[in-house]
Amino acid sequence: MSLTKYNQKRDFKKTKEPEGIKKKSKGALRFVVQKHAASHLHYDFRLEIDGVLVSWAVPKGPSANPADKRLAMHVEDHPMDYIDFEGTIPQGEYGGGTVMVWDIGTYHAEANDDVSKDNALMKKQHASGSIKIVLEGEKLKGSWALVEMHGRGENQWLLIKHKDEFSGTDITYDPYSVLTGRDFDAISKGDDVWQSNRKKSSSTPKKIKKKDESAFSAADLANAKKLTKFPSGWRPQLATLADTPFDNQEWLFETKFDGYRSTAEIHNGTCHLISRNGLSFDKKYPEIADALSGLKQNMILDGEIVMEDTKGKSHFQWLQNREDNPDRGKLKFYVFDILYFGGFDLRGLDLLQRKKILQAVLPKVDSVIYSDHVVGNGQQAFKKAQKQSGEGIIAKRIASAYDTNKRSKDWLKIKTGKVQEMVIGGYTEPSGNRIGIGALLCGYYQNGKLMYSGKVGSGYTDDILKDLISKLEKIERQSSPFENPPKEKKVHWVTPKLVANIKFSEFTETNSMRHPVYEGLRTDKAATDVKLELPEITASEKDEPKPSAKKPTKKMAKETKSYTVADLKKFSKKVEFSNPDKIFWPKEKITKGDVIAYYNAIADYILPYLKDRPQSMRRTPDGIKSQGFFQKNVAGLVPDWTKTAIIKADSKSEPVEWLICNNKDTLLYMVNMGCIEINPWSSRIKTLDNPDYIIFDLDPKGAQIENIVKTAKVLKEILDGLKVPAYIKTSGGNGLHVFIPVKPKYSYEQTREFSHIISQMVHKQLPDITSLERLPDKRKKKVYLDFLQNGRGKTMASIYSLRPREGAGISTPLEWDEISDGLKLSDYNLFTIPQRLKEKGDLWKGFFEDAIDLKSVLKSM
């Protein structure tokens, strides 16, 4: 590889362009495609090989269609400093014209997993005239080939896209700069002129005029997923109850309406209103359905049907009893979200983007109203709701996607008063002049059982009493439906089918309602879905970390139990334990017996993440004072009762016998051998080449906790936008791990590529605090996005695994609400996790049920 031709074509007495200097290739190889408007428009395709950019001029540019074989003229090598150049080469100099960075990224030789071997392989491929690579760019992805054409003229090659999930006849590429989003005109009008010293011009490049943010165009649907048919069965996202209002610029605040939640499915000019549990509202509220019918575009709206008085206050009882008095009040449908529009699934867009589209497409009719919002000022919105005697407010995280049929902490409901849905399980007989019933006996479901929560004797009119008794008499039964029935006289029990809205002042310690008032029946919720609704989040502290258990102290260390072999025998009849009093952590006085006891206590939590996975045993039999060693081959070393499997870690290694940990006895056997840390494969023995999770290792290397947290949050936002579930845990040291469950039908190379793509997206947003460089010296005090952890045979400390480091840290699952600048990773350790598990349980329960189809996600990107 040489830069001689590059230097020869430039007279450095006349030009300030830099002399080409070869640099040593380190880490993942890079590529760039530069769109070049010189004498003729073309694309410069450049691959880093042996410290230079080996280059081809492609007149028509890359094509995703494997049938297109694009001519690529091999030209002189360029220096590595050229890789991110975007600007204007002055006229009169060689190559004068405008240059755009059309795509940029990393690449590797096809079928190679070892980055250290890529450069040598690429030198051989280039010399042979046949290059096969996998690109990991912003636009160009997947398998590509460059093939030299012999006998067709000097330096003529072909650029060809191989058939894979990134190929297709209908794929088009964004024409703009991947670095700045500019087109040629914007670049050429700027003052960024190519000069040899690479210094920026003293004048600032002109900014592109921003478009009107209130307008709605096709560009707003760029990140929405295109669907081939109209969706069905989408149910509304539900909010979580919070206790107090708050101010936060990352949240918006809407009115909480007192009515029936409904989606409006508008398809082929007909509107169907669907309740939150899938019932039709068409006949009940035909005025709303008629007002939305006749629209040309198909769409799905989310809102609330209410009945308002002349002052704009909604009345749930009026709505519930509308058939008896249809002229009382005005029926309205307040719309606050849009899920689908014109063939596009909008759920993955952030909230403000969806509301922008909604406001633009919602028809202007009196009975259908756009639900407006305020940003940041939640306390002011709450005070306004109180002043107007409203239900309360709904707080919504601006950056959140729409979670169909889920109750989310991205939406919070904050009520001005306490209102609870309750199941009617019986009623008492009236006394005095009262007709129908005396009081309703109400309750809620807990663990499948109906729990009594109080009787409701107020809030009724004569008409309501007559209506209730007619309904209750039809469902009377002999026995009480309550698990804890009240001791009341003259009781009539009923089958628990009816759900009532009850307003009350507070719950007692036994979860009984004080001062309850009946507000009406609900027909939009099944009785079995009624649970006791207590605040799950303190809204004023929602962005702060939840209180963790106490950190280890000297006192706690001294109180650690001393275990004998006799004590440990109670844990397993198969394992022969030894040296339980051996010190593993000198400072904390933690013994081998303590470690065995810990894994015995949490076996039920960790085993689901170890089952059927080969174990790469990291043995530290002398505790944290030694580095320890990895043992993979257990042939002839483990008892007959253990399960093993003969496996090749990779294509070049010899097959060895690996230990499989499927039960507590095997787990404790490993710990007794000195395995403080547990390291399973990412795949199971029946699908060894197909991992069932993808790893994002946020390795700090001296980075501040604020930067680690910021990186994790950006990663979460990107994954949320793709509707990809993200599970987070501490590393047990100074970093964080984010896992994605994936269906075990994709290769390690594919999952690693996905991790790399997402990591590049994170790095693009946070270039100053993150790094993709493998060499530690190149990423000091930056968060290393280590996507290379996704590989066959590569292992990482399991969830709930101890780490052989100072502080006895444990790789602990966290809630995303705990990820904040105040996060203290040292809080999650041997002393605190057992109690945390008792309080929170397994936060990753259901992890594997959330497995994504990687191909579907990639298609949506």
Side-chain angles (χ1 to χ4, degrees):
M1 306 295 169
S2 172
L3 294 172
T4 303
K5 288 185 179 181
Y6 173 87
N7 289 328
Q8 287 175 347
K9 288 185 177 183
R10 290 155 177 83
D11 185 348
F12 293 106
K13 292 180 181 179
K14 297 180 180 180
T15 178
K16 294 181 180 180
E17 289 180 82
E19 233 178 305
I21 300 173
K22 185 177 179 179
K23 294 185 177 181
K24 188 176 181 180
S25 292
K26 297 179 180 180
L29 297 179
R30 292 178 289 172
F31 84 93
V32 66
V33 179
Q34 285 161 315
K35 195 174 179 181
H36 192 175
S39 56
H40 299 284
L41 178 66
H42 64 278
Y43 293 74
D44 291 313
F45 190 95
R46 311 188 195 278
L47 299 176
E48 177 187 359
I49 302 176
D50 207 28
V52 300
L53 290 172
V54 180
S55 302
W56 292 261
V58 186
K60 292 186 178 181
S63 169
N65 185 356
D68 292 338
K69 296 176 174 58
R70 293 290 164 87
L71 176 66
M73 297 300 296
H74 206 324
V75 297
E76 75 275 8
D77 299 337
H78 279 52
M80 288 303 302
D81 285 342
Y82 215 93
I83 196 165
D84 58 356
F85 165 58
E86 179 171 282
T88 303
I89 301 173
Q91 294 299 326
E93 294 192 32
Y94 179 79
T98 305
V99 178
M100 171 198 294
V101 178
W102 184 81
D103 196 20
I104 196 168
T106 60
Y107 80 98
H108 62 85
E110 196 165 67
N112 176 53
D113 292 334
D114 190 342
V115 173
S116 66
K117 296 178 181 179
D118 269 327
N119 192 59
L121 289 170
M122 290 311 304
K123 287 173 67 176
K124 290 181 180 179
Q125 287 193 26
H126 182 234
S128 71
S130 178
I131 292 175
K132 295 179 180 180
I133 53 177
V134 175
L135 299 181
E136 297 163 340
E138 295 292 321
K139 299 176 184 176
L140 303 184
K141 304 177 189 295
S143 178
W144 292 76
L146 277 160
V147 182
E148 188 173 11
M149 298 171 65
H150 298 287
R152 294 287 187 93
E154 189 178 2
N155 297 329
Q156 292 191 30
W157 293 55
L158 293 176
L159 176 64
I160 305 167
K161 177 74 184 81
H162 284 158
K163 188 175 181 180
D164 60 16
E165 58 191 311
F166 303 108
S167 64
T169 58
D170 57 348
I171 295 176
T172 58
Y173 296 119
D174 182 345
Y176 304 111
S177 165
V178 76
L179 292 184
T180 64
R182 297 185 293 177
D183 59 13
F184 270 138
D185 185 55
I187 295 171
S188 64
K189 288 180 181 178
D191 297 321
D192 186 10
V193 178
W194 176 250
Q195 299 293 343
S196 62
N197 57 12
R198 298 302 303 244
K199 292 181 180 178
K200 290 183 179 178
S201 172
S202 59
S203 60
T204 305
K206 296 177 182 177
K207 293 183 179 179
I208 304 169
K209 186 178 180 181
K210 290 185 70 176
K211 63 181 180 180
D212 181 4
E213 292 299 330
S214 64
F216 165 56
S217 67
D220 292 305
L221 301 173
N223 294 320
K225 183 180 178 181
K226 182 71 175 176
L227 300 182
T228 57
K229 62 180 181 179
F230 190 82
S232 62
W234 286 2
R235 297 289 173 263
Q237 176 172 334
L238 303 177
T240 299
L241 183 64
D243 65 342
T244 56
F246 58 93
D247 291 341
N248 191 314
Q249 290 300 314
E250 295 181 1
W251 292 69
L252 62 78
F253 302 89
E254 299 171 338
T255 299
K256 184 183 186 302
F257 298 101
D258 189 13
Y260 283 136
R261 185 75 174 277
S262 177
T263 54
E265 297 183 355
I266 303 159
H267 185 218
N268 294 334
T270 301
C271 174
H272 293 291
L273 299 175
I274 312 294
S275 75
R276 68 180 184 181
N277 61 344
L279 300 176
S280 175
F281 277 155
D282 292 351
K283 293 182 179 180
K284 198 166 187 176
Y285 309 113
E287 304 97 315
I288 304 298
D290 291 344
L292 290 169
S293 293
L295 296 181
K296 294 181 180 180
Q297 286 285 5
N298 295 334
M299 62 184 81
I300 298 178
L301 308 175
D302 184 10
E304 188 129 352
I305 299 171
V306 302
M307 184 73 81
E308 289 184 344
D309 60 23
T310 55
K311 295 181 179 180
K313 178 177 171 55
S314 59
H315 297 269
F316 180 75
Q317 277 195 2
W318 290 11
L319 184 68
Q320 196 259 326
N321 298 314
R322 183 168 178 263
E323 293 178 359
D324 298 329
N325 196 344
D327 297 327
R328 181 173 56 177
K330 187 170 183 180
L331 190 69
K332 293 183 179 180
F333 182 40
Y334 283 92
V335 186
F336 41 73
D337 216 324
I338 182 167
L339 286 63
Y340 174 89
F341 175 78
F344 288 90
D345 179 355
L346 308 184
R347 295 175 299 170
L349 303 182
D350 66 51
L351 177 58
L352 277 183
Q353 183 75 357
R354 298 198 307 273
K355 294 205 72 171
K356 174 184 175 182
I357 296 170
L358 170 64
Q359 190 171 19
V361 303
L362 197 66
K364 304 298 188 291
V365 294
D366 290 342
S367 59
V368 180
I369 301 125
Y370 170 76
S371 175
D372 212 342
H373 61 268
V374 296
V375 174
N377 298 323
Q379 296 193 58
Q380 182 180 347
F382 187 77
K383 288 177 182 177
K384 182 179 179 181
Q386 286 180 312
K387 187 177 180 180
Q388 296 176 345
S389 300
E391 274 286 292
I393 60 174
I394 300 290
K396 297 179 179 180
R397 196 185 299 273
I398 290 173
S400 65
Y402 192 100
D403 283 331
T404 312
N405 200 27
K406 288 185 179 179
R407 191 173 296 280
S408 167
K409 291 184 180 179
D410 286 333
W411 287 15
L412 305 176
K413 53 185 174 183
I414 307 161
K415 299 178 180 180
T416 54
K418 291 182 172 61
V419 179
Q420 168 78 49
E421 293 157 351
M422 285 285 175
V423 179
I424 301 173
Y427 63 94
T428 60
E429 292 185 0
S431 60
N433 295 325
R434 190 75 168 258
I435 62 172
I437 66 172
L440 293 175
L441 305 179
C442 296
Y444 57 90
Y445 276 95
Q446 179 177 297
N447 298 325
K449 297 176 180 179
L450 185 62
M451 307 301 296
Y452 178 69
S453 188
K455 62 180 182 178
V456 183
S458 62
Y460 310 107
T461 64
D462 285 349
D463 288 339
I464 291 173
L465 290 169
K466 291 177 183 177
D467 179 65
L468 279 173
I469 193 63
S470 67
K471 289 180 170 66
L472 293 170
E473 286 178 341
K474 294 175 183 177
I475 56 173
E476 277 201 33
R477 55 186 274 177
Q478 294 298 315
S479 60
S480 167
F482 295 107
E483 177 71 13
N484 54 338
K487 295 180 180 179
E488 292 283 344
K489 296 179 179 179
K490 299 181 179 180
V491 173
H492 295 258
W493 305 117
V494 299
T495 301
K497 290 182 176 181
L498 300 179
V499 178
N501 248 26
I502 308 297
K503 196 169 186 175
F504 60 101
S505 60
E506 63 178 343
F507 279 119
T508 68
E509 292 182 355
T510 59
N511 292 331
S512 292
M513 298 177 289
R514 290 189 191 276
H515 314 120
V517 178
Y518 174 84
E519 288 199 322
L521 293 178
R522 300 204 69 98
T523 59
D524 60 338
K525 189 167 186 177
T528 52
D529 291 336
V530 174
K531 306 291 191 298
L532 189 65
E533 194 172 33
L534 299 174
E536 294 184 29
I537 188 168
T538 302
S540 58
E541 299 175 354
K542 57 164 194 49
D543 285 328
E544 298 177 8
K546 295 189 177 181
S548 61
K550 295 180 180 179
K551 293 189 292 183
T553 63
K554 291 182 179 179
K555 182 179 179 182
M556 291 172 71
K558 289 178 182 177
E559 292 174 354
T560 302
K561 180 179 178 180
S562 296
Y563 289 91
T564 67
V565 172
D567 294 326
L568 300 181
K569 280 185 176 179
K570 299 175 183 177
F571 299 156
S572 173
K573 295 180 180 180
K574 295 182 177 181
V575 182
E576 295 182 8
F577 297 104
S578 60
N579 301 319
D581 56 348
K582 190 172 186 177
I583 299 294
F584 273 9
W585 276 266
K587 184 179 179 180
E588 291 86 355
K589 306 298 182 186
I590 298 172
T591 65
K592 179 181 178 181
D594 297 326
V595 176
I596 294 171
Y598 165 74
Y599 279 108
N600 176 73
I602 61 98
D604 290 341
Y605 291 98
I606 193 173
L607 282 171
Y609 306 96
L610 307 181
K611 187 177 180 181
D612 292 334
R613 301 178 190 275
Q615 298 295 318
S616 185
M617 295 195 298
R618 182 183 179 184
R619 297 178 60 187
T620 47
D622 294 321
I624 67 169
K625 67 181 181 180
S626 66
Q627 287 285 329
F629 58 94
F630 279 94
Q631 181 174 342
K632 300 176 181 179
N633 192 357
V634 297
L637 298 177
V638 295
D640 293 339
W641 52 263
T642 60
K643 183 175 182 178
T644 62
I646 298 176
I647 301 167
K648 292 175 68 173
D650 55 59
S651 59
K652 297 180 180 179
S653 64
E654 293 295 320
V656 298
E657 190 171 353
W658 297 71
L659 184 64
I660 309 298
C661 183
N662 284 359
N663 51 57
K664 185 171 75 170
D665 289 324
T666 305
L667 173 63
L668 297 182
Y669 174 80
M670 292 169 61
V671 178
N672 190 61
M673 292 178 69
C675 294
I676 293 174
E677 185 177 290
I678 309 299
N679 291 271
W681 278 33
S682 301
S683 55
R684 302 178 191 264
I685 50 178
K686 290 184 179 179
T687 52
L688 279 173
D689 294 322
N690 310 111
D692 53 10
Y693 52 76
I694 299 173
I695 300 167
F696 292 88
D697 183 8
L698 309 185
D699 190 348
K701 297 301 178 189
Q704 297 177 344
I705 186 63
E706 292 82 2
N707 289 345
I708 304 171
V709 165
K710 190 172 183 179
T711 303
K713 287 184 174 181
V714 169
L715 174 58
K716 176 71 160 54
E717 289 173 2
I718 291 171
L719 294 175
D720 283 349
L722 296 172
K723 302 295 291 182
V724 171
Y727 290 75
I728 192 166
K729 68 183 181 76
T730 69
S731 66
N734 298 318
L736 292 171
H737 297 158
V738 176
F739 279 39
I740 296 172
V742 62
K743 292 181 180 180
K745 61 179 184 178
Y746 298 98
S747 68
Y748 274 101
E749 182 177 351
Q750 289 171 313
T751 58
R752 181 174 59 251
E753 185 173 342
F754 180 81
S755 179
H756 190 192
I757 291 169
I758 301 300
S759 296
Q760 286 176 316
M761 294 169 70
V762 174
H763 179 55
K764 186 175 180 181
Q765 290 193 39
L766 303 172
D768 295 328
I769 66 171
T770 65
S771 176
L772 292 168
E773 293 284 351
R774 293 192 68 186
L775 296 177
D777 288 342
K778 287 194 172 185
R779 49 182 166 90
K780 289 181 178 178
K781 296 186 178 180
K782 289 190 174 183
V783 180
Y784 176 40
L785 303 168
D786 189 1
F787 61 90
L788 295 172
Q789 290 289 354
N790 299 278
R792 194 177 191 274
K794 291 182 179 291
T795 58
M796 176 174 284
S798 169
I799 184 174
Y800 301 119
S801 172
L802 258 167
R803 304 297 301 276
R805 300 178 178 182
E806 291 286 342
I810 289 173
S811 188
T812 307
L814 302 176
E815 295 174 320
W816 279 101
D817 288 343
E818 296 178 283
I819 307 302
S820 74
D821 292 348
L823 180 66
K824 292 183 180 179
L825 297 176
S826 59
D827 284 358
Y828 304 92
N829 54 65
L830 181 65
F831 298 97
T832 63
I833 297 311
Q835 181 59 34
R836 178 181 169 89
L837 281 171
K838 289 180 182 178
E839 295 173 357
K840 293 182 175 292
D842 182 11
L843 296 180
W844 282 26
K845 189 176 182 180
F847 174 85
F848 297 107
E849 283 74 20
D850 278 347
I852 63 168
D853 188 304
L854 196 55
K855 188 174 181 179
S856 298
V857 174
L858 288 169
K859 283 183 178 180
S860 71
M861 293 178 65

